[in-house]
Amino acid sequence: MNTPEVLFVCVHNAGRSQMAAALLDHHAAGRVAVRSAGSAPANEVDPAVVAVMAELGIDVSREFPKRLTTDAVEAADVVITMGCGDACPVFPGKRYLDWQLDDPAGRSAADVRPIRDEIDRRVRALLAELVVA
């Protein structure tokens, strides 16, 4: 059986998509291939995102924002945009989802925690769909 591949996309690839990718990678434990990207990548992952992920024991401090490519979309089975209206290449046979989520940019760790927790809830539900026990 092929390993499903999920691509998380947001404009800057510095917050929501980084948290989603790290959480899915953590929970999937190798059962799902995970990538994230952005159409206009920032210079670094948002510091509040790094902090709230560390609270869960997930280190994203070495991650960096990556540019969205057509190849990344083409390789994915599921493409999830993070509520930012991002234009994304559309290919037949792909599953596209748009998760409407607040942008953590410029927010405190206290304000980012509920966003992280909502992403975690959605990631766990997605994982349950993708990986049949």
Side-chain angles (χ1 to χ4, degrees):
M1 183 172 160
N2 290 338
T3 302
E5 184 162 332
V6 176
L7 172 65
F8 293 100
V9 181
C10 69
V11 175
H12 300 298
N13 189 224
R16 295 166 288 193
S17 57
Q18 289 282 349
M19 287 191 285
L23 287 162
L24 181 55
D25 187 60
H26 173 76
H27 295 309
R31 296 174 291 168
V32 177
V34 184
R35 298 165 105 182
S36 71
S39 57
N43 291 326
E44 64 183 7
V45 174
D46 188 285
V49 167
V50 174
V52 301
M53 294 302 289
E55 293 171 358
L56 300 179
I58 300 173
D59 183 7
V60 296
S61 65
R62 291 182 183 84
E63 294 298 328
F64 60 92
K66 295 162 269 317
R67 179 161 304 282
L68 177 64
T69 65
T70 301
D71 289 345
V73 176
E74 198 167 34
D77 298 302
V78 181
V79 179
I80 301 173
T81 57
M82 311 299 281
C84 46
D86 218 18
C88 188
V90 176
F91 294 95
K94 308 286 176 209
R95 179 177 175 197
Y96 291 89
L97 301 171
D98 183 43
W99 289 357
Q100 295 290 323
L101 298 159
D102 290 333
D103 188 348
R107 296 180 186 229
S108 69
D111 291 335
V112 174
R113 277 185 205 103
I115 300 168
R116 175 204 63 197
D117 295 345
E118 177 59 18
I119 291 171
D120 190 45
R121 184 189 69 73
R122 293 180 190 204
V123 158
R124 289 173 186 262
L126 176 66
L127 180 60
E129 292 175 25
L130 293 175
V131 179
V132 179

